[in-house]
DNA sequence: TGTACATCAGTGAACGCGCGTTCACTGATGTAC
DNA sequence: TGTACATCAGTGAACGCGCGTTCACTGATGTAC
């Protein structure tokens, strides 16, 4: 192995060690991440960090990207682990539980990507792509169910009293396009609804809104996700 | 009027002016609220703030309390403004839209109460009471609908494929007790679901998750709230 | 109504701490001939 | 294989700034007799 790539490998290890330390700081300080504190923990002088990240914002961006990808990977793995691909409700529960478990295991990173935005920080475009990974899995499960003929398209009367307006249908079309799935409006709408319900539940649990109210958190979550599965028709 | 109460009134005005200035700072700095910056904006020396608030945390707590109460008051007023008390879907839409509008008008305060928790800050018990005001309105609308015989109790077969477990039913009983409403399990569950759906939508819109995805925000929100109304049976 | 005293609001300086970022530098590690 | 040079990682000091909180103090405003 040429010497140059050794240097590159050491460099990559340093980058990931800095991110690891920064992640552990997120847990206590939230998004008020301090470069100096990270450097201190690594036994370096604060200016040394600038060899690896051009600024605090760049480090934050890296952490946000990693978080989206870690969550996305966890959800993909959970769905992929379901042997019988035609058991759509099982896949749905596996994927949504993976979101909850990842969030509970990494609360600070979850807050970084799904909590209130960091003041004065604007996420670059890259993060938007990574953010799509998780919803893509959820929609794929729905699309598979629809393709298998399990889910009703909703054309029959009585399934959806309030029809989406033209503007909403345009948004649904955008989603259909960007995720490249062939689903009728009603199911895309339900997918978004379920997506909101999923993250709404996780955020409420993590951010303390369920305190003194919902104590059987795991069971309640399953109940909610089953309700959404009922709605979608799995 | 006795002189003492003049002093008390001036004092009260100062307290509310400090809170106003602090609120305007929340908008740019998020929860990293700086006492010194607030004092500067008021043309005072930073230590003067301590005549009115014992610490930064106490000021934050006051802002959180105010935010919960302002939101609660807005929602109560929106519901109360519906003349025909038996038009439950209209009341539901009025109340939920009030949440969204208040949040859009006061994004920083919304983030303060429904965003990621401020690191190192623990909300005292008082705030929990104020936090109940908004859900109380939502549940009251549901309870009125149920009392009027408009909503199905859900005892008939086929309405809810997955029954709540014993632990979840215990949580539902707690909610029934603390809000003092007489609703069957199924409707309390749907109330919580709708509550989560409501704030999930508002948070996603405010925290940027709908960027490049949902553009017809107001119409989409109405669509979602109508869907929940369908579910509840209004 | 007038005076002595107590309460209160706000000042200004200080303590002790933290931060992001820049810059000239030292050594070590790699590259080219 | 050996040497001259370039690249790179990390240092240490400094800039200029911010923060929450304490404390002794000055005046003004209220209270009690």
């Amino acid at each position: 192995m040429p010497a140059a790539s050794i240097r590159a490998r050491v460099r990559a290890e340093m980058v990931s060690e800095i991110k690891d330390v920064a992640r552990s700081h997120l847990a206590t300080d939230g998004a008020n991440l301090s470069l100096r504190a990270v450097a201190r923990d690594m036994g370096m002088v604060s200016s040394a960090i600038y060899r690896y990240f051009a600024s605090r914002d760049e480090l934050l961006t890296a952490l946000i990207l990693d978080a989206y990808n870690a969550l996305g990977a966890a959800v993909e793995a959970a769905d992929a682990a379901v042997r019988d691909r035609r058991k759509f409700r099982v896949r749905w529960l596996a994927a949504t539980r993976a979101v909850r478990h990842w969030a509970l295991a990494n609360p600070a990173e979850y807050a970084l990507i799904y909590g209130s935005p960091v003041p004065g920080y604007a996420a670059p475009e890259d993060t938007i792509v990574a953010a799509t990974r998780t919803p893509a899995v959820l929609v794929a499960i729905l699309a598979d169910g629809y393709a298998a003929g399990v889910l009703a398209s909703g054309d029959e009367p009585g399934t959806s009293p309030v029809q989406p307006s033209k503007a909403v249908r345009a948004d649904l079309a955008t989603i259909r396009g960007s995720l490249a799935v062939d689903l009728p409006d009603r199911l895309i709408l339900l997918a978004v609804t379920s997506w909101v319900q999923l993250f709404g539940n996780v955020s409420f649990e993590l951010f303390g809104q369920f305190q003194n109210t919902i104590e059987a958190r795991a069971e309640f979550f399953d109940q909610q996700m089953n309700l959404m599965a009922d709605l979608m028709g799995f």
Side-chain angles (χ1 to χ4, degrees), chain A:
Chain A
M1 167 175 325
S5 92
I6 291 180
R7 186 125 87 178
R9 218 172 59 180
V10 170
R11 199 185 158 76
E13 269 162 29
M14 283 297 293
V15 165
S16 81
E17 196 182 330
I18 290 173
K19 292 196 289 188
D20 284 347
V21 173
R23 261 186 282 271
S24 76
H25 276 260
L26 276 184
T28 49
D29 310 332
N32 311 342
L33 182 66
S34 152
L35 281 191
R36 288 186 106 108
V38 171
R40 225 176 290 129
D41 270 25
M42 298 198 52
M44 298 170 98
V45 109
S46 68
S47 52
I49 301 282
Y50 287 81
R51 285 278 157 207
Y52 303 95
F53 295 94
S55 67
R56 198 191 81 116
D57 268 19
E58 200 173 272
L59 174 55
L60 258 185
T61 300
L63 293 177
I64 289 174
L65 247 177
D66 282 6
Y68 275 125
N69 279 319
L71 173 60
V75 175
E76 285 166 8
D79 174 41
V82 177
R83 284 277 167 74
D84 188 344
R85 305 304 290 161
R86 295 182 47 89
K87 292 198 162 169
F88 302 109
R89 182 181 289 249
V90 174
R91 288 174 63 188
W92 171 254
L93 285 177
T96 55
R97 279 176 186 154
V99 171
R100 176 169 178 269
H101 288 145
W102 185 87
L104 288 175
N106 308 278
E109 287 173 85
Y110 180 85
L112 195 60
I113 55 181
Y114 285 103
S116 16
V118 180
Y121 171 84
E125 286 295 317
D126 326 7
T127 62
I128 297 183
V129 178
T132 309
R133 251 174 104 169
T134 296
V137 175
L138 305 178
V139 166
I141 297 173
L142 203 64
D144 286 0
Y146 181 65
V150 174
L151 279 59
S153 76
D155 291 332
E156 56 277 15
T159 41
S160 188
V162 177
Q163 292 301 320
S165 72
K166 199 175 284 185
V168 169
R169 286 205 308 272
D171 284 340
L172 299 179
T174 304
I175 297 171
R176 189 182 0 254
S178 69
L179 290 180
V181 283
D182 187 31
L183 283 171
D185 278 359
R186 180 178 149 272
L187 287 181
I188 292 189
L189 190 61
L190 281 179
V192 179
T193 306
S194 301
W195 175 53
V196 170
Q197 186 71 29
L198 163 59
F199 283 95
N201 268 285
V202 173
S203 291
F204 263 24
E205 177 173 355
L206 241 77
F207 298 165
Q209 233 68 35
F210 280 167
Q211 242 159 24
N212 304 324
T213 304
I214 307 290
E215 299 300 338
R217 309 262 161 98
E219 284 178 296
F220 185 81
F221 178 83
D222 278 8
Q223 179 74 36
Q224 294 273 61
M225 290 306 111
N226 269 307
L227 200 156
M228 299 320 286
D230 294 344
L231 257 185
M232 291 187 281
F234 283 149

